[in-house]
Amino acid sequence: MKPPKDASSASKSLDPRTELVTSGRDTMAQKGFVNPPIVRGSTVLYPTAEDLHAHRGEFQYGRHGTPTTKALQEALMALEGPQCAGVGLTPSGVSAISTALLAVLAAGDHLLVIDSVYRPTRNFCDGLLKRFGIETTYFDPSIGVGIEALFKANTKAVLVEAPGSQSFEMPDIPAIAAVAHRKNALVIDDNTWATPFFHRSLDQGVDISLQAATKYIGGHSDIMFGTISANAQAWPVISEAIRLLGVCAGPDDVFLALRGLRTLAVRLAHHQQSGLEIARWLAERPEVLRVLHPALEDDPGHAIWKRDFTGASGLFSVVLKPAPQQAVDAFLDTVKLFGMGYSWGGYESLVIPFDCTEYRSATKWNPGGPTLRLHIGLEHVEDLKADLAAGFAAFNAAAAK
Ligand SMILES: *Cc1c(COP(=O)(O)O)cnc(C)c1O
């Protein structure tokens, strides 16, 4: 019998949508099965004393990798593009962020972080990094090349997030990266919102691209997972830190991340389309002051988004006209298809109220009304609009009381 063809051996320069399906698949090593096995393993046995002494063999120890992790790493490398020299797998998005920062920083260093950063990232910088003698300065997301003024002799890294996952400001990453590289600092990007499918950050001057794969990569709200992708310059320190810190991800989660990755393109296309349709619908609602979505033509971040991104995911925010808290709560309690919860990127729609005023330090957050963040899932868009309309009816009734 002829062996099955190996999909990953197809000709190079495939479309990313094809790469998502074919990469990381070693069909013959999987005895013909389409997907890799879930390898649970700590011990890896060596056949001879000579092999043992030479540490010979593709896999050495469970923590350092298995056939399952290898399949996911290869698939992620293909998605990240030609600049990617390696991908580390971590047990959560936050652990990807903390591992990357610990990898590139040392006592006495200075770090620049975007003011719109994911709040637990800020807590890590202001907590553990501060305790280890690393100073953090936060910067205005719209700073661009003006970031040069914030560099000190000991600035070693710049951390960006595009867009901010609550407030949706869009930083100019290539401009920031150009300054950082002139100053010999590394650029780290939390690329969770767009994923490498819509934003190839390593092609835009980023050295280390992070994902909370908990979100769109997993795609089903059923795993906690993180990834650290690095270019050739940054990969040695990242892989060293992963080894020294003992970071590794559980085999079931690795498998589910890979399974999620296979359908990422179709899911994101749907999230994008429904997300934009609802964003435009919300912008016309009388209760709405502003929609914060970089793919909308009148958004302040639109030009940068259009230049640097190939798409938008399903997460955005809306600023309501000033209203009492009980009106907002009536909205939240009335919508049924929009669950109230924090981790997004799954197939289901979500809504949460948020308030950035509590923690901003480099900029003032003055939205002008109550703010809600929406995740648009894979439900039918007309059902979602009807649900939101019911929420607004309850909102107006409560506001009139
Ligand atoms: C959720 C999230 C994280 C953290 O991911 P976890 O897997 O929950 O630890 C990091 N960055 C952004 C932008 C996120 O949305």
Side-chain angles (χ1 to χ4, degrees):
M1 192 184 98
K2 256 175 65 182
K5 287 184 294 255
D6 180 357
S8 64
S9 67
S11 69
K12 287 296 155 204
S13 77
L14 295 167
D15 184 275
R17 285 164 290 197
T18 309
E19 290 274 18
L20 279 171
V21 171
T22 56
S23 55
R25 283 173 52 195
D26 187 355
T27 311
M28 279 324 287
Q30 294 156 202
K31 303 203 185 289
F33 283 92
V34 171
N35 294 298
I38 299 176
V39 175
R40 303 175 191 285
S42 52
T43 315
V44 179
L45 299 176
Y46 296 85
T48 67
E50 194 194 326
D51 290 319
L52 179 73
H53 294 313
H55 300 291
R56 202 176 287 145
E58 188 178 358
F59 301 101
Q60 311 274 326
Y61 191 76
R63 188 177 352 103
H64 302 323
T66 68
T68 322
T69 62
K70 183 180 169 221
L72 176 58
Q73 284 165 319
E74 284 182 4
L76 284 165
M77 278 187 74
L79 180 62
E80 295 279 6
Q83 298 300 317
C84 186
V87 180
L89 309 178
T90 76
S92 68
V94 166
S95 64
I97 295 162
S98 60
T99 301
L101 289 170
L102 289 172
V104 304
L105 296 166
D109 284 349
H110 176 237
L111 168 70
L112 289 167
V113 174
I114 195 160
D115 208 26
S116 52
V117 76
Y118 180 63
R119 196 169 180 184
T121 305
R122 182 181 284 265
N123 296 341
F124 181 74
C125 297
D126 297 346
L128 210 72
L129 288 188
K130 187 172 178 212
R131 186 140 60 77
F132 288 174
I134 295 156
E135 185 201 0
T136 302
T137 302
Y138 295 92
F139 63 86
D140 185 332
S142 68
I143 199 165
V145 290
I147 198 167
E148 179 145 14
L150 298 181
F151 273 79
K152 304 183 184 192
N154 60 343
T155 306
K156 291 291 160 55
V158 181
L159 194 152
V160 294
E161 196 178 306
S165 67
Q166 290 189 329
S167 48
F168 295 90
E169 296 102 322
M170 193 51 94
D172 188 340
I173 293 178
I176 290 170
V179 175
H181 292 155
R182 233 184 312 118
K183 302 279 186 182
N184 289 319
L186 290 169
V187 179
I188 306 169
D189 177 27
D190 183 336
N191 197 25
T192 300
W193 180 80
T195 83
F197 185 70
F198 279 156
H199 182 228
R200 282 250 182 119
S201 55
L202 295 176
D203 287 350
Q204 307 212 341
V206 167
D207 301 289
I208 301 165
S209 176
L210 308 174
Q211 296 276 310
T214 304
K215 310 283 166 58
Y216 284 118
I217 306 276
H220 295 73
S221 304
D222 55 3
I223 54 169
M224 302 300 301
F225 207 80
T227 67
I228 311 175
S229 306
N231 62 16
Q233 195 197 344
W235 178 243
V237 288
I238 293 294
S239 63
E240 180 195 38
I242 286 172
R243 265 183 123 82
L244 293 176
L245 291 166
V247 171
C248 64
D252 291 288
D253 294 339
V254 173
F255 181 87
L256 288 173
L258 182 59
R259 186 162 84 167
L261 202 60
R262 300 301 183 200
T263 58
L264 182 68
V266 281
R267 286 187 288 107
L268 279 179
H270 193 105
H271 287 295
Q272 165 166 257
Q273 194 187 351
S274 295
L276 270 168
E277 188 168 337
I278 295 211
R280 295 204 165 99
W281 181 83
L282 284 167
E284 300 299 318
R285 290 286 315 190
E287 301 87 353
V288 169
L289 194 61
R290 231 155 29 102
V291 178
L292 312 177
H293 190 315
L296 293 183
E297 292 73 12
D298 59 354
D299 189 90
H302 184 69
I304 290 174
W305 172 81
K306 206 169 168 187
R307 185 192 66 191
D308 297 345
F309 290 62
T310 56
S313 63
L315 189 80
F316 62 92
S317 289
V318 56
V319 183
L320 302 174
K321 290 185 182 154
Q325 183 64 43
Q326 72 261 25
V328 179
D329 287 350
F331 177 95
L332 294 172
D333 285 335
T334 300
V335 290
K336 293 289 174 277
L337 297 177
F338 287 82
M340 278 182 278
Y342 288 95
S343 181
W344 41 275
Y347 50 79
E348 80 288 11
S349 290
L350 298 167
V351 60
I352 50 153
F354 68 93
D355 182 4
C356 309
T357 51
E358 298 167 12
Y359 53 86
R360 290 285 177 120
S361 58
T363 48
K364 279 254 176 299
W365 170 250
N366 245 332
T371 41
L372 299 175
R373 188 183 70 183
L374 299 169
H375 179 251
I376 307 304
L378 306 180
E379 305 90 343
H380 196 280
V381 71
E382 295 305 328
D383 289 336
L384 294 177
K385 282 186 203 166
D387 199 38
L388 292 170
F392 281 125
F395 174 94
N396 289 323
K401 271 197 194 131

